[in-house]
Amino acid sequence: MQPLLLLDIVGLTSRLIGEHTPRLAEFAGQGAVRTLNSIVPAVTCSVQASMLTGLMPEQHGIVGNGWLFRELAEVWFWRQSNRLVHGERLWEAGKRHDPDFSCANLFWWYNMASSHDFGATPRPIYKADGRKLPDCHTRPAEWRDRLTAELGPFPLFHFWGPATSIASSRWIAEASKLAMADFRPSLLLSYLPHLDYDLQRYGPDLGHPAVRQSLRDIDAVAGDLIAHARERGYQVMVVSEYGITPVRRAVHLNRHLREAGLLQVRHEAGAEILDPSQCQAFAVADHQIAHVYLQPGLGARKAAEVEEALRSIPGVAGVWQGRARGELGLNHERAGDFVALAEDDAWFSYYYWLDDARAPDRR
């Protein structure tokens, strides 16, 4: 069996492949480019889970990058346990057909507590004094020492956020090369996140110099990894979870719900903190989708009031409730009681405070 490198360059679209990505353009010209019809929601955790299970979110349960954990009455994003994902994984199907099949998962999400053979994922060290130190979690555990010795500590703060740079994608690409050498997995999953953040930060306009530089940077890293893999007998497939499109307005669902008397906050050291346990309704916003959760036992009349409030907000393209969420592939208990989608030129913020002086600490 010829091994496969499945390379996820998030945010990459065919429109971006060209002058500023010569190596990716050459790779595309040697094979074929196909449009990947995405799911709702087209966000990292959901799309990766669908790619690796072949299922819709209402089947694998990953309804977004985060959701309300109803038993805890808490919203959690970016959890890491693979046990949250339902359904057979791609590598499990491979093992059914070939007992010698192996998989290395490098930085695709839900990487921990998983059935793949080898893996690496971000995992900071939290110190008692509040410090957050860069590090990663690996399988086997001792592989972390080899990666750190060869590549230095995983550059966590370059992975996402204002300090995002090519450094984290370059580190992951080099770790992928080591995975080929150390394990030669049948399937190597590698995730290069760099392009995504700059497309969100600056917009998808190729006229922006930062976007052009980001394309050149990811082209160099991905092109080098692709060449390395092919030299070692790997087939290579490049995928992307979604594309970034321009928007011109933010829609603050939670502010509307608060003004309608449906959302509650608590006060902490001069800041306002969302209190899910006491809200009649609140939205977990994630780009252009929002899961809107109701207080258990709220009643049909109040639920209708929430739906009416949501539909009246400018920028909301549609609202789906209960079993109707199945039209989006999201009829799952983790999804909101209502699912709202934004209009094409709009995105949903999570902001619920009405005075910026009372905003929570967002550092």
Side-chain angles (χ1 to χ4, degrees):
M1 176 188 297
Q2 185 176 13
L4 172 68
L5 167 63
L6 184 56
L7 181 59
D8 183 357
I9 306 178
V10 62
L12 185 69
T13 63
S14 57
R15 187 181 71 86
L16 299 176
I17 299 174
E19 175 186 357
H20 307 294
T21 58
R23 299 185 73 174
L24 286 171
E26 180 183 14
F27 173 74
Q30 294 168 348
V33 178
R34 296 288 184 269
T35 298
L36 179 65
N37 294 323
S38 196
I39 58 165
V40 177
V43 297
T44 291
C45 293
S46 300
V47 175
Q48 287 189 5
S50 285
M51 285 183 180
L52 297 180
T53 63
L55 302 175
M56 297 293 288
E58 64 185 11
Q59 297 166 306
H60 59 60
I62 307 304
V63 299
N65 292 325
W67 57 85
L68 174 70
F69 285 67
R70 295 178 189 266
E71 298 89 343
L72 302 175
E74 293 181 354
V75 175
W76 288 94
F77 272 70
W78 301 108
R79 300 297 89 192
Q80 296 204 27
S81 174
N82 198 262
R83 293 171 188 169
L84 291 168
V85 184
H86 305 149
E88 183 180 54
R89 286 67 164 164
L90 183 59
W91 55 85
E92 293 170 344
K95 288 179 184 293
R96 281 196 295 105
H97 291 280
D98 180 0
D100 294 327
F101 186 96
S102 63
C103 175
N105 183 342
L106 269 62
F107 291 82
W108 286 52
W109 212 248
Y110 299 113
N111 203 298
M112 298 174 63
S114 178
S115 58
H116 58 242
D117 302 278
F118 317 104
T121 196
R123 190 64 170 178
I125 298 171
Y126 294 97
K127 306 297 284 187
D129 60 6
R131 286 178 297 154
K132 180 179 178 180
L133 306 181
D135 203 358
C136 63
H137 178 281
T138 66
R139 179 175 184 171
E142 58 271 18
W143 199 48
R144 167 178 167 264
D145 298 331
R146 169 158 164 74
L147 292 178
T148 303
E150 292 285 336
L151 308 175
F154 174 65
L156 176 71
F157 301 122
H158 294 268
F159 185 72
W160 187 251
T164 294
S165 78
I166 195 62
S168 64
S169 289
R170 184 181 294 116
W171 195 100
I172 295 169
E174 294 302 315
S176 300
K177 294 178 185 178
L178 289 175
M180 293 180 210
D182 292 351
F183 310 122
R184 192 167 175 80
S186 311
L187 173 63
L188 173 55
L189 305 169
S190 186
Y191 172 67
L192 303 184
H194 170 65
L195 184 61
D196 173 69
Y197 196 85
D198 274 351
L199 291 174
Q200 293 190 51
R201 178 161 46 186
Y202 302 114
D205 183 3
L206 285 170
H208 197 293
V211 171
R212 296 197 301 270
Q213 186 60 51
S214 288
L215 286 167
R216 289 191 288 267
D217 289 342
I218 201 66
D219 184 70
V221 169
D224 179 65
L225 178 57
I226 290 169
H228 183 92
R230 289 170 128 184
E231 288 170 1
R232 282 148 186 80
Y234 275 76
Q235 288 185 309
V236 181
M237 178 183 293
V238 174
V239 296
S240 177
E241 300 151 18
Y242 47 77
I244 302 296
T245 58
V247 294
R248 63 179 180 85
R249 52 182 170 152
V251 180
H252 310 296
L253 295 179
N254 281 324
R255 287 178 172 172
H256 287 276
L257 293 174
R258 184 174 180 183
E259 289 171 340
L262 298 165
L263 182 147
Q264 297 296 318
V265 300
R266 67 178 189 274
H267 300 275
E268 293 184 358
E272 294 179 341
I273 308 299
L274 180 71
D275 190 351
S277 67
Q278 299 200 63
C279 291
Q280 294 182 68
F282 72 96
V284 175
D286 197 355
H287 297 280
Q288 291 182 302
I289 188 171
H291 292 280
V292 181
Y293 295 92
L294 305 181
Q295 187 70 227
L298 190 63
R301 180 176 297 180
K302 184 62 72 170
E305 180 183 331
V306 174
E307 182 175 8
E308 182 180 357
L310 292 171
R311 292 188 182 278
S312 70
I313 299 171
V316 174
V319 179
W320 289 259
Q321 180 185 18
R323 296 177 72 176
R325 299 170 304 178
E327 297 173 16
L328 305 175
L330 280 170
N331 187 21
H332 191 278
E333 62 184 0
R334 291 175 180 164
D337 299 281
F338 295 101
V339 174
L341 294 183
E343 294 181 354
D344 289 347
D345 68 340
W347 64 279
F348 293 140
S349 83
Y350 70 92
Y351 296 178
Y352 51 82
W353 55 93
L354 304 178
D355 179 354
D356 282 346
R358 294 185 175 275
D361 186 351
R362 288 170 282 163
R363 291 173 293 176

